[in-house]
Amino acid sequence: MAARFSRLKAQEKKRNVPENCREIISSLPKGQGWASEHVYLYQGFWFDPVILEGVIWAQQSFRAIDTDIFLASSPKCGTTWLKALMFAIANRKRYDSSSQSHPLLTTSPHDCIPTLEILLDHDDPIAYLESLPSSPRLISTHLSYTSLPNSILNADSGSRIVYITRNPKDALVSLWVFSKAIRSENWNHLPPLPIEEAFDLFCEGVSFAGPFWDHVLGYWKASLETPNKVLFLKYEDMKMDTQCWVKRLADFMGHSFSLEEERQGVVQEIIKLCSFQNLTSLEVNKRAGNKEFFRRGEVGDSKNHLTPEMIKRLEEITEQKLATSGLKF
Ligand code: PAP
């Protein structure tokens, strides 16, 4: 399977892991992993150890620049879709969205926009970052708001954050299916995690970059306090009225569509290019290591995997966790 998943596994390749990293990780509380054996609780959120090395590296070494735009999310909430949309929006003057040579036709959205906590996989992550086009640099992350590197959070930082979230029931099911695939590929000595166990872990907050609700609330509050810095999006809203939200996204990114572009149908072209149907029809996204990021791409598939009791419990937890926030799914 492609390198993307081996990142979750302890690697033979020597990575420039910060010196104190392994010591920090070995001192952390340990929980049951979904894809790998264990996850570790770091600054209130659970991570696989190899990803955690990248998190600590990012906190110590990453420097945001004012033009950076970050895509933040809990896993399985629409990252791949948003990566495609943000790349297509920001680069539409360079790459015509209807062109037969658009990079998204031959490159996975995950290879168009790098992920902060796996930058450490590059021999020289800083040199790699400097090689990215800065108009703007687009970088994704599953880090919680409070764990983002200081250079992103600083009040005088001009960088911006797009956050995408999703109904926790669908996020849970999507994460469970994805984790099963990675586990069987990389840790086939571990038995598959039954849905009942994954469900209990998710409810307890022990999921990749979880607790899910704390993750969402961190960005939700930041979006209320600093709406020019954080744009808060929901997968379900994006599915319901893609055109409206894609235009909002472009405005927030500082790449608004002109009236002329709207008349020419550029918004529609980008939506079509990045649609689940189009991306899943492309050879590049059918390859192992890429295809796992595409499954159903629908709202409400969780009802096909969770019992009515599970759905009720998850809805109750969600209602209770979000009670005073003003946020609803
Ligand atoms: P990641 O956090 O590991 O990058 P992410 O892309 O956020 O994963 O989530 C994958 C989900 O988005 C999958 O949902 P499902 O399991 O419920 O089907 C995947 O199918 C869906 N997805 C991927 N690409 C698109 C797209 N272009 N439009 C809509 N949904 C998509």
Side-chain angles (χ1 to χ4, degrees):
M1 186 170 281
R4 206 180 328 280
F5 298 148
S6 65
R7 285 171 192 144
L8 285 172
K9 208 177 174 186
Q11 292 185 329
E12 290 80 43
K13 186 181 157 199
K14 182 148 176 17
R15 300 171 0 131
N16 294 317
V17 176
E19 253 177 42
N20 56 347
C21 204
R22 303 229 156 105
E23 201 185 314
I24 297 174
I25 295 173
S26 64
S27 70
L28 299 173
K30 203 156 68 166
Q32 162 74 59
W34 291 45
S36 58
E37 199 159 10
H38 294 117
V39 283
Y40 292 82
L41 185 65
Y42 180 68
Q43 299 180 342
F45 293 85
W46 295 94
F47 289 97
D48 288 84
V50 176
I51 298 291
L52 199 41
E53 291 173 359
V55 170
I56 295 169
W57 171 85
Q59 290 180 333
Q60 294 180 358
S61 306
F62 177 79
R63 299 284 170 273
I65 52 177
D66 283 353
T67 47
D68 284 344
I69 304 180
F70 296 90
L71 166 63
S73 57
S74 268
K76 305 296 145 202
C77 289
T79 324
T80 311
W81 187 17
L82 264 288
K83 278 191 177 189
L85 285 169
M86 289 171 69
F87 181 85
I89 289 169
N91 292 294
R92 66 185 188 270
K93 299 278 187 295
R94 251 168 101 195
Y95 308 119
D96 186 329
S97 327
S98 60
S99 153
Q100 286 310 302
S101 57
H102 195 285
L104 279 167
L105 299 177
T106 49
T107 314
S108 156
H110 288 276
D111 291 325
C112 292
I113 298 189
T115 302
L116 184 63
E117 49 276 19
I118 56 177
L119 285 174
L120 195 51
D121 284 358
H122 292 271
D123 291 335
D124 185 346
I126 300 293
Y128 169 74
L129 280 167
E130 281 166 1
S131 75
L132 293 176
S134 62
S135 53
R137 266 192 334 189
L138 301 172
I139 301 171
S140 83
T141 183
H142 286 319
L143 270 176
S144 69
Y145 184 74
T146 44
S147 288
L148 289 173
N150 286 336
S151 58
I152 305 176
L153 294 179
N154 281 345
D156 58 355
S157 164
S159 62
R160 276 162 288 170
I161 303 165
V162 174
Y163 185 73
I164 176 88
T165 190
R166 185 183 197 183
N167 187 304
K169 292 173 286 189
D170 289 346
L172 155 64
V173 167
S174 186
L175 183 62
W176 173 64
V177 176
F178 181 78
S179 304
K180 273 202 305 183
I182 300 177
R183 192 179 250 225
S184 77
E185 187 68 30
N186 289 326
W187 284 272
N188 51 16
H189 62 286
L190 300 173
L193 192 68
I195 183 79
E196 293 77 14
E197 207 177 316
F199 176 82
D200 285 340
L201 288 168
F202 190 89
C203 290
E204 289 158 20
V206 188
S207 58
F208 185 68
F212 177 89
W213 302 273
D214 294 357
H215 203 282
V216 176
L217 283 173
Y219 284 95
W220 171 247
K221 284 178 192 149
S223 75
L224 296 179
E225 284 160 16
T226 51
N228 295 331
K229 176 142 185 116
V230 184
L231 176 68
F232 191 94
L233 301 173
K234 291 188 210 162
Y235 183 89
E236 293 77 13
D237 293 346
M238 299 268 315
K239 283 292 251 185
M240 181 101 79
D241 191 347
T242 313
Q243 182 162 327
C244 160
W245 287 100
V246 165
K247 288 203 290 192
R248 287 269 275 274
L249 175 62
D251 290 343
F252 179 80
M253 291 173 68
H255 288 262
S256 297
F257 293 101
S258 66
L259 281 177
E260 187 52 26
E261 282 183 308
E262 289 203 33
R263 261 196 297 272
Q264 287 169 352
V266 175
V267 186
Q268 290 305 337
E269 275 168 15
I270 288 181
I271 291 172
K272 195 168 154 212
L273 174 68
C274 303
S275 67
F276 183 84
Q277 198 187 15
N278 185 52
L279 293 183
T280 50
S281 74
L282 302 170
E283 280 312 311
V284 63
N285 295 321
K286 291 179 185 170
R287 286 186 206 140
N290 292 339
K291 67 174 193 265
E292 293 76 6
F293 291 91
F294 303 92
R295 196 180 59 95
R296 299 285 296 266
E298 287 168 10
V299 174
D301 180 52
S302 49
K303 66 179 179 308
N304 299 316
H305 298 269
L306 302 178
T307 63
E309 292 73 32
M310 286 169 161
I311 289 176
K312 185 164 174 278
R313 183 163 161 220
L314 212 42
E315 284 174 350
E316 282 169 4
I317 295 173
T318 304
E319 211 178 299
Q320 184 205 337
K321 298 266 189 194
L322 306 185
T324 55
S325 68
L327 174 62
K328 288 210 178 340
F329 280 104

